[in-house]
PDB file of all heavy atoms in Angstrom:
ATOM      1  N   ILE A   8     -75.200  13.960 -51.402  1.00 96.00           N
ATOM      2  CA  ILE A   8     -75.372  12.810 -50.525  1.00 96.00           C
ATOM      3  C   ILE A   8     -75.473  13.355 -49.101  1.00 96.00           C
ATOM      4  O   ILE A   8     -74.782  14.316 -48.762  1.00 96.00           O
ATOM      5  CB  ILE A   8     -74.198  11.815 -50.700  1.00 96.00           C
ATOM      6  CG1 ILE A   8     -74.451  10.507 -49.976  1.00 96.00           C
ATOM      7  CG2 ILE A   8     -72.877  12.436 -50.287  1.00 96.00           C
ATOM      8  CD1 ILE A   8     -73.512   9.391 -50.425  1.00 96.00           C
ATOM      9  N   HIS A   9     -76.367  12.790 -48.295  1.00 97.00           N
ATOM     10  CA  HIS A   9     -76.495  13.254 -46.914  1.00 97.00           C
ATOM     11  C   HIS A   9     -75.364  12.636 -46.089  1.00 97.00           C
ATOM     12  O   HIS A   9     -75.110  11.441 -46.167  1.00 97.00           O
ATOM     13  CB  HIS A   9     -77.850  12.868 -46.317  1.00 97.00           C
ATOM     14  CG  HIS A   9     -78.032  13.457 -44.961  1.00 97.00           C
ATOM     15  ND1 HIS A   9     -78.443  14.763 -44.767  1.00 97.00           N
ATOM     16  CD2 HIS A   9     -77.801  12.947 -43.735  1.00 97.00           C
ATOM     17  CE1 HIS A   9     -78.484  15.015 -43.474  1.00 97.00           C
ATOM     18  NE2 HIS A   9     -78.091  13.929 -42.825  1.00 97.00           N
ATOM     19  N   VAL A  10     -74.682  13.471 -45.296  1.00 98.00           N
ATOM     20  CA  VAL A  10     -73.549  13.025 -44.492  1.00 98.00           C
ATOM     21  C   VAL A  10     -73.824  13.307 -43.024  1.00 98.00           C
ATOM     22  O   VAL A  10     -74.220  14.416 -42.657  1.00 98.00           O
ATOM     23  CB  VAL A  10     -72.244  13.752 -44.913  1.00 98.00           C
ATOM     24  CG1 VAL A  10     -71.073  13.290 -44.049  1.00 98.00           C
ATOM     25  CG2 VAL A  10     -71.957  13.536 -46.387  1.00 98.00           C
ATOM     26  N   ASP A  11     -73.602  12.291 -42.194  1.00 97.00           N
ATOM     27  CA  ASP A  11     -73.662  12.432 -40.738  1.00 97.00           C
ATOM     28  C   ASP A  11     -72.340  11.950 -40.165  1.00 97.00           C
ATOM     29  O   ASP A  11     -71.900  10.832 -40.474  1.00 97.00           O
ATOM     30  CB  ASP A  11     -74.787  11.587 -40.135  1.00 97.00           C
ATOM     31  CG  ASP A  11     -76.161  12.139 -40.422  1.00 97.00           C
ATOM     32  OD1 ASP A  11     -76.380  13.336 -40.148  1.00 97.00           O
ATOM     33  OD2 ASP A  11     -77.012  11.383 -40.930  1.00 97.00           O
ATOM     34  N   VAL A  12     -71.693  12.796 -39.364  1.00 97.00           N
ATOM     35  CA  VAL A  12     -70.508  12.398 -38.607  1.00 97.00           C
ATOM     36  C   VAL A  12     -70.887  12.538 -37.142  1.00 97.00           C
ATOM     37  O   VAL A  12     -71.241  13.631 -36.692  1.00 97.00           O
ATOM     38  CB  VAL A  12     -69.278  13.277 -38.939  1.00 97.00           C
ATOM     39  CG1 VAL A  12     -68.075  12.821 -38.121  1.00 97.00           C
ATOM     40  CG2 VAL A  12     -68.975  13.230 -40.436  1.00 97.00           C
ATOM     41  N   VAL A  13     -70.838  11.423 -36.421  1.00 96.00           N
ATOM     42  CA  VAL A  13     -71.351  11.377 -35.059  1.00 96.00           C
ATOM     43  C   VAL A  13     -70.286  10.829 -34.116  1.00 96.00           C
ATOM     44  O   VAL A  13     -69.669   9.801 -34.405  1.00 96.00           O
ATOM     45  CB  VAL A  13     -72.610  10.479 -34.997  1.00 96.00           C
ATOM     46  CG1 VAL A  13     -73.198  10.456 -33.600  1.00 96.00           C
ATOM     47  CG2 VAL A  13     -73.654  10.934 -36.007  1.00 96.00           C
ATOM     48  N   SER A  14     -70.078  11.535 -32.989  1.00 91.00           N
ATOM     49  CA  SER A  14     -69.182  11.030 -31.949  1.00 91.00           C
ATOM     50  C   SER A  14     -70.040  10.407 -30.855  1.00 91.00           C
ATOM     51  O   SER A  14     -71.274  10.459 -30.914  1.00 91.00           O
ATOM     52  CB  SER A  14     -68.339  12.167 -31.373  1.00 91.00           C
ATOM     53  OG  SER A  14     -69.097  12.962 -30.490  1.00 91.00           O
ATOM     54  N   ALA A  15     -69.383   9.881 -29.846  1.00 87.00           N
ATOM     55  CA  ALA A  15     -70.119   9.301 -28.718  1.00 87.00           C
ATOM     56  C   ALA A  15     -70.909  10.372 -27.972  1.00 87.00           C
ATOM     57  O   ALA A  15     -71.912  10.078 -27.338  1.00 87.00           O
ATOM     58  CB  ALA A  15     -69.153   8.597 -27.769  1.00 87.00           C
ATOM     59  N   GLU A  16     -70.451  11.643 -28.059  1.00 88.00           N
ATOM     60  CA  GLU A  16     -71.088  12.716 -27.311  1.00 88.00           C
ATOM     61  C   GLU A  16     -72.129  13.499 -28.097  1.00 88.00           C
ATOM     62  O   GLU A  16     -73.094  13.992 -27.539  1.00 88.00           O
ATOM     63  CB  GLU A  16     -70.040  13.722 -26.797  1.00 88.00           C
ATOM     64  CG  GLU A  16     -69.101  13.179 -25.747  1.00 88.00           C
ATOM     65  CD  GLU A  16     -67.917  12.441 -26.345  1.00 88.00           C
ATOM     66  OE1 GLU A  16     -67.478  12.807 -27.460  1.00 88.00           O
ATOM     67  OE2 GLU A  16     -67.450  11.487 -25.723  1.00 88.00           O
ATOM     68  N   GLU A  17     -71.899  13.675 -29.430  1.00 92.00           N
ATOM     69  CA  GLU A  17     -72.778  14.575 -30.177  1.00 92.00           C
ATOM     70  C   GLU A  17     -72.663  14.364 -31.679  1.00 92.00           C
ATOM     71  O   GLU A  17     -71.758  13.704 -32.161  1.00 92.00           O
ATOM     72  CB  GLU A  17     -72.418  16.037 -29.862  1.00 92.00           C
ATOM     73  CG  GLU A  17     -71.012  16.409 -30.326  1.00 92.00           C
ATOM     74  CD  GLU A  17     -70.626  17.832 -30.010  1.00 92.00           C
ATOM     75  OE1 GLU A  17     -71.457  18.734 -30.183  1.00 92.00           O
ATOM     76  OE2 GLU A  17     -69.467  18.034 -29.593  1.00 92.00           O
ATOM     77  N   SER A  18     -73.603  14.965 -32.400  1.00 95.00           N
ATOM     78  CA  SER A  18     -73.523  15.018 -33.851  1.00 95.00           C
ATOM     79  C   SER A  18     -72.544  16.133 -34.207  1.00 95.00           C
ATOM     80  O   SER A  18     -72.725  17.275 -33.808  1.00 95.00           O
ATOM     81  CB  SER A  18     -74.903  15.311 -34.448  1.00 95.00           C
ATOM     82  OG  SER A  18     -74.785  15.513 -35.841  1.00 95.00           O
ATOM     83  N   ILE A  19     -71.510  15.804 -34.959  1.00 94.00           N
ATOM     84  CA  ILE A  19     -70.467  16.768 -35.310  1.00 94.00           C
ATOM     85  C   ILE A  19     -70.805  17.463 -36.625  1.00 94.00           C
ATOM     86  O   ILE A  19     -70.575  18.649 -36.794  1.00 94.00           O
ATOM     87  CB  ILE A  19     -69.098  16.058 -35.429  1.00 94.00           C
ATOM     88  CG1 ILE A  19     -68.727  15.386 -34.112  1.00 94.00           C
ATOM     89  CG2 ILE A  19     -68.012  17.022 -35.882  1.00 94.00           C
ATOM     90  CD1 ILE A  19     -68.539  16.324 -32.947  1.00 94.00           C
ATOM     91  N   PHE A  20     -71.365  16.721 -37.577  1.00 96.00           N
ATOM     92  CA  PHE A  20     -71.772  17.303 -38.854  1.00 96.00           C
ATOM     93  C   PHE A  20     -72.981  16.540 -39.368  1.00 96.00           C
ATOM     94  O   PHE A  20     -73.029  15.317 -39.301  1.00 96.00           O
ATOM     95  CB  PHE A  20     -70.644  17.206 -39.893  1.00 96.00           C
ATOM     96  CG  PHE A  20     -71.045  17.741 -41.246  1.00 96.00           C
ATOM     97  CD1 PHE A  20     -70.919  19.085 -41.539  1.00 96.00           C
ATOM     98  CD2 PHE A  20     -71.577  16.904 -42.213  1.00 96.00           C
ATOM     99  CE1 PHE A  20     -71.311  19.591 -42.770  1.00 96.00           C
ATOM    100  CE2 PHE A  20     -71.978  17.392 -43.447  1.00 96.00           C
ATOM    101  CZ  PHE A  20     -71.844  18.740 -43.729  1.00 96.00           C
ATOM    102  N   SER A  21     -73.935  17.268 -39.902  1.00 97.00           N
ATOM    103  CA  SER A  21     -75.089  16.663 -40.557  1.00 97.00           C
ATOM    104  C   SER A  21     -75.502  17.615 -41.666  1.00 97.00           C
ATOM    105  O   SER A  21     -75.850  18.770 -41.404  1.00 97.00           O
ATOM    106  CB  SER A  21     -76.235  16.458 -39.571  1.00 97.00           C
ATOM    107  OG  SER A  21     -77.321  15.807 -40.225  1.00 97.00           O
ATOM    108  N   GLY A  22     -75.436  17.137 -42.913  1.00 96.00           N
ATOM    109  CA  GLY A  22     -75.815  18.003 -44.021  1.00 96.00           C
ATOM    110  C   GLY A  22     -75.567  17.349 -45.370  1.00 96.00           C
ATOM    111  O   GLY A  22     -75.124  16.210 -45.453  1.00 96.00           O
ATOM    112  N   GLU A  23     -75.861  18.105 -46.412  1.00 97.00           N
ATOM    113  CA  GLU A  23     -75.704  17.619 -47.776  1.00 97.00           C
ATOM    114  C   GLU A  23     -74.290  17.901 -48.276  1.00 97.00           C
ATOM    115  O   GLU A  23     -73.701  18.934 -47.966  1.00 97.00           O
ATOM    116  CB  GLU A  23     -76.725  18.287 -48.699  1.00 97.00           C
ATOM    117  CG  GLU A  23     -78.168  17.955 -48.351  1.00 97.00           C
ATOM    118  CD  GLU A  23     -78.467  16.460 -48.438  1.00 97.00           C
ATOM    119  OE1 GLU A  23     -78.139  15.841 -49.468  1.00 97.00           O
ATOM    120  OE2 GLU A  23     -79.022  15.918 -47.468  1.00 97.00           O
ATOM    121  N   ALA A  24     -73.762  16.963 -49.055  1.00 97.00           N
ATOM    122  CA  ALA A  24     -72.410  17.102 -49.585  1.00 97.00           C
ATOM    123  C   ALA A  24     -72.341  16.592 -51.014  1.00 97.00           C
ATOM    124  O   ALA A  24     -73.160  15.774 -51.434  1.00 97.00           O
ATOM    125  CB  ALA A  24     -71.427  16.333 -48.715  1.00 97.00           C
ATOM    126  N   ARG A  25     -71.348  17.105 -51.736  1.00 97.00           N
ATOM    127  CA  ARG A  25     -71.071  16.624 -53.100  1.00 97.00           C
ATOM    128  C   ARG A  25     -70.079  15.475 -53.083  1.00 97.00           C
ATOM    129  O   ARG A  25     -70.061  14.654 -53.996  1.00 97.00           O
ATOM    130  CB  ARG A  25     -70.468  17.748 -53.933  1.00 97.00           C
ATOM    131  CG  ARG A  25     -71.393  18.888 -54.208  1.00 97.00           C
ATOM    132  CD  ARG A  25     -70.701  19.849 -55.144  1.00 97.00           C
ATOM    133  NE  ARG A  25     -71.189  21.194 -54.904  1.00 97.00           N
ATOM    134  CZ  ARG A  25     -70.612  22.280 -55.339  1.00 97.00           C
ATOM    135  NH1 ARG A  25     -69.507  22.208 -56.041  1.00 97.00           N
ATOM    136  NH2 ARG A  25     -71.120  23.452 -55.093  1.00 97.00           N
ATOM    137  N   PHE A  26     -69.217  15.440 -52.036  1.00 96.00           N
ATOM    138  CA  PHE A  26     -68.127  14.473 -51.996  1.00 96.00           C
ATOM    139  C   PHE A  26     -67.643  14.345 -50.564  1.00 96.00           C
ATOM    140  O   PHE A  26     -67.643  15.317 -49.810  1.00 96.00           O
ATOM    141  CB  PHE A  26     -66.978  14.965 -52.896  1.00 96.00           C
ATOM    142  CG  PHE A  26     -65.755  14.094 -52.891  1.00 96.00           C
ATOM    143  CD1 PHE A  26     -65.761  12.882 -53.556  1.00 96.00           C
ATOM    144  CD2 PHE A  26     -64.600  14.490 -52.239  1.00 96.00           C
ATOM    145  CE1 PHE A  26     -64.621  12.078 -53.560  1.00 96.00           C
ATOM    146  CE2 PHE A  26     -63.464  13.695 -52.242  1.00 96.00           C
ATOM    147  CZ  PHE A  26     -63.477  12.488 -52.911  1.00 96.00           C
ATOM    148  N   VAL A  27     -67.196  13.130 -50.195  1.00 97.00           N
ATOM    149  CA  VAL A  27     -66.615  12.882 -48.875  1.00 97.00           C
ATOM    150  C   VAL A  27     -65.349  12.053 -49.074  1.00 97.00           C
ATOM    151  O   VAL A  27     -65.359  11.082 -49.825  1.00 97.00           O
ATOM    152  CB  VAL A  27     -67.590  12.098 -47.960  1.00 97.00           C
ATOM    153  CG1 VAL A  27     -66.969  11.840 -46.592  1.00 97.00           C
ATOM    154  CG2 VAL A  27     -68.910  12.823 -47.816  1.00 97.00           C
ATOM    155  N   ALA A  28     -64.261  12.445 -48.401  1.00 96.00           N
ATOM    156  CA  ALA A  28     -63.014  11.672 -48.423  1.00 96.00           C
ATOM    157  C   ALA A  28     -62.623  11.364 -46.988  1.00 96.00           C
ATOM    158  O   ALA A  28     -62.739  12.223 -46.111  1.00 96.00           O
ATOM    159  CB  ALA A  28     -61.909  12.465 -49.110  1.00 96.00           C
ATOM    160  N   LEU A  29     -62.179  10.122 -46.742  1.00 95.00           N
ATOM    161  CA  LEU A  29     -61.783   9.735 -45.401  1.00 95.00           C
ATOM    162  C   LEU A  29     -60.851   8.541 -45.443  1.00 95.00           C
ATOM    163  O   LEU A  29     -60.798   7.824 -46.449  1.00 95.00           O
ATOM    164  CB  LEU A  29     -62.995   9.446 -44.519  1.00 95.00           C
ATOM    165  CG  LEU A  29     -63.840   8.230 -44.836  1.00 95.00           C
ATOM    166  CD1 LEU A  29     -64.609   7.812 -43.611  1.00 95.00           C
ATOM    167  CD2 LEU A  29     -64.814   8.545 -45.938  1.00 95.00           C
ATOM    168  N   PRO A  30     -60.098   8.309 -44.338  1.00 93.00           N
ATOM    169  CA  PRO A  30     -59.149   7.198 -44.306  1.00 93.00           C
ATOM    170  C   PRO A  30     -59.834   5.880 -43.954  1.00 93.00           C
ATOM    171  O   PRO A  30     -60.158   5.624 -42.805  1.00 93.00           O
ATOM    172  CB  PRO A  30     -58.156   7.623 -43.219  1.00 93.00           C
ATOM    173  CG  PRO A  30     -58.977   8.471 -42.293  1.00 93.00           C
ATOM    174  CD  PRO A  30     -59.999   9.166 -43.162  1.00 93.00           C
ATOM    175  N   GLY A  31     -60.062   5.054 -44.951  1.00 92.00           N
ATOM    176  CA  GLY A  31     -60.655   3.736 -44.717  1.00 92.00           C
ATOM    177  C   GLY A  31     -59.597   2.752 -44.261  1.00 92.00           C
ATOM    178  O   GLY A  31     -58.400   3.036 -44.286  1.00 92.00           O
ATOM    179  N   GLU A  32     -60.037   1.595 -43.873  1.00 89.00           N
ATOM    180  CA  GLU A  32     -59.124   0.572 -43.361  1.00 89.00           C
ATOM    181  C   GLU A  32     -58.088   0.156 -44.409  1.00 89.00           C
ATOM    182  O   GLU A  32     -56.929  -0.076 -44.092  1.00 89.00           O
ATOM    183  CB  GLU A  32     -59.941  -0.640 -42.907  1.00 89.00           C
ATOM    184  CG  GLU A  32     -59.122  -1.704 -42.240  1.00 89.00           C
ATOM    185  CD  GLU A  32     -59.979  -2.810 -41.682  1.00 89.00           C
ATOM    186  OE1 GLU A  32     -60.913  -3.262 -42.357  1.00 89.00           O
ATOM    187  OE2 GLU A  32     -59.705  -3.218 -40.553  1.00 89.00           O
ATOM    188  N   ALA A  33     -58.503   0.098 -45.666  1.00 89.00           N
ATOM    189  CA  ALA A  33     -57.600  -0.354 -46.725  1.00 89.00           C
ATOM    190  C   ALA A  33     -57.002   0.799 -47.527  1.00 89.00           C
ATOM    191  O   ALA A  33     -56.339   0.571 -48.528  1.00 89.00           O
ATOM    192  CB  ALA A  33     -58.352  -1.299 -47.663  1.00 89.00           C
ATOM    193  N   GLY A  34     -57.239   2.040 -47.101  1.00 92.00           N
ATOM    194  CA  GLY A  34     -56.709   3.195 -47.814  1.00 92.00           C
ATOM    195  C   GLY A  34     -57.726   4.317 -47.864  1.00 92.00           C
ATOM    196  O   GLY A  34     -58.821   4.215 -47.315  1.00 92.00           O
ATOM    197  N   GLU A  35     -57.358   5.388 -48.542  1.00 93.00           N
ATOM    198  CA  GLU A  35     -58.217   6.569 -48.638  1.00 93.00           C
ATOM    199  C   GLU A  35     -59.464   6.240 -49.464  1.00 93.00           C
ATOM    200  O   GLU A  35     -59.368   5.633 -50.530  1.00 93.00           O
ATOM    201  CB  GLU A  35     -57.439   7.711 -49.298  1.00 93.00           C
ATOM    202  CG  GLU A  35     -58.089   9.048 -49.198  1.00 93.00           C
ATOM    203  CD  GLU A  35     -58.001   9.692 -47.815  1.00 93.00           C
ATOM    204  OE1 GLU A  35     -57.259   9.195 -46.943  1.00 93.00           O
ATOM    205  OE2 GLU A  35     -58.693  10.701 -47.603  1.00 93.00           O
ATOM    206  N   LEU A  36     -60.624   6.661 -48.971  1.00 95.00           N
ATOM    207  CA  LEU A  36     -61.888   6.439 -49.669  1.00 95.00           C
ATOM    208  C   LEU A  36     -62.444   7.769 -50.160  1.00 95.00           C
ATOM    209  O   LEU A  36     -62.390   8.764 -49.427  1.00 95.00           O
ATOM    210  CB  LEU A  36     -62.927   5.817 -48.734  1.00 95.00           C
ATOM    211  CG  LEU A  36     -62.682   4.397 -48.273  1.00 95.00           C
ATOM    212  CD1 LEU A  36     -63.651   4.028 -47.164  1.00 95.00           C
ATOM    213  CD2 LEU A  36     -62.842   3.439 -49.431  1.00 95.00           C
ATOM    214  N   GLY A  37     -62.982   7.776 -51.364  1.00 96.00           N
ATOM    215  CA  GLY A  37     -63.695   8.932 -51.891  1.00 96.00           C
ATOM    216  C   GLY A  37     -65.112   8.503 -52.220  1.00 96.00           C
ATOM    217  O   GLY A  37     -65.319   7.495 -52.894  1.00 96.00           O
ATOM    218  N   ILE A  38     -66.087   9.247 -51.715  1.00 96.00           N
ATOM    219  CA  ILE A  38     -67.485   8.834 -51.865  1.00 96.00           C
ATOM    220  C   ILE A  38     -68.283   9.948 -52.534  1.00 96.00           C
ATOM    221  O   ILE A  38     -68.320  11.079 -52.046  1.00 96.00           O
ATOM    222  CB  ILE A  38     -68.102   8.497 -50.493  1.00 96.00           C
ATOM    223  CG1 ILE A  38     -67.281   7.384 -49.839  1.00 96.00           C
ATOM    224  CG2 ILE A  38     -69.561   8.103 -50.635  1.00 96.00           C
ATOM    225  CD1 ILE A  38     -67.486   7.270 -48.363  1.00 96.00           C
ATOM    226  N   TYR A  39     -68.917   9.604 -53.634  1.00 95.00           N
ATOM    227  CA  TYR A  39     -69.811  10.504 -54.356  1.00 95.00           C
ATOM    228  C   TYR A  39     -71.249  10.016 -54.176  1.00 95.00           C
ATOM    229  O   TYR A  39     -71.474   8.864 -53.777  1.00 95.00           O
ATOM    230  CB  TYR A  39     -69.473  10.503 -55.853  1.00 95.00           C
ATOM    231  CG  TYR A  39     -68.237  11.289 -56.198  1.00 95.00           C
ATOM    232  CD1 TYR A  39     -67.021  10.650 -56.414  1.00 95.00           C
ATOM    233  CD2 TYR A  39     -68.284  12.674 -56.320  1.00 95.00           C
ATOM    234  CE1 TYR A  39     -65.884  11.364 -56.739  1.00 95.00           C
ATOM    235  CE2 TYR A  39     -67.151  13.405 -56.642  1.00 95.00           C
ATOM    236  CZ  TYR A  39     -65.955  12.749 -56.855  1.00 95.00           C
ATOM    237  OH  TYR A  39     -64.827  13.462 -57.171  1.00 95.00           O
ATOM    238  N   PRO A  40     -72.239  10.856 -54.511  1.00 96.00           N
ATOM    239  CA  PRO A  40     -73.635  10.400 -54.458  1.00 96.00           C
ATOM    240  C   PRO A  40     -73.816   9.130 -55.302  1.00 96.00           C
ATOM    241  O   PRO A  40     -73.125   8.931 -56.304  1.00 96.00           O
ATOM    242  CB  PRO A  40     -74.409  11.579 -55.058  1.00 96.00           C
ATOM    243  CG  PRO A  40     -73.562  12.772 -54.755  1.00 96.00           C
ATOM    244  CD  PRO A  40     -72.143  12.276 -54.887  1.00 96.00           C
TER     245      PRO A  40
END
Side-chain angles (χ1 to χ4, degrees):
I8 189 165
H9 186 82
V10 179
D11 288 308
V12 180
V13 182
S14 77
E16 293 84 31
E17 64 181 318
S18 173
I19 301 297
F20 177 86
S21 183
E23 296 300 310
R25 293 185 209 165
F26 177 74
V27 180
L29 68 158
E32 186 174 44
E35 192 75 10
L36 292 169
I38 302 161
Y39 284 100

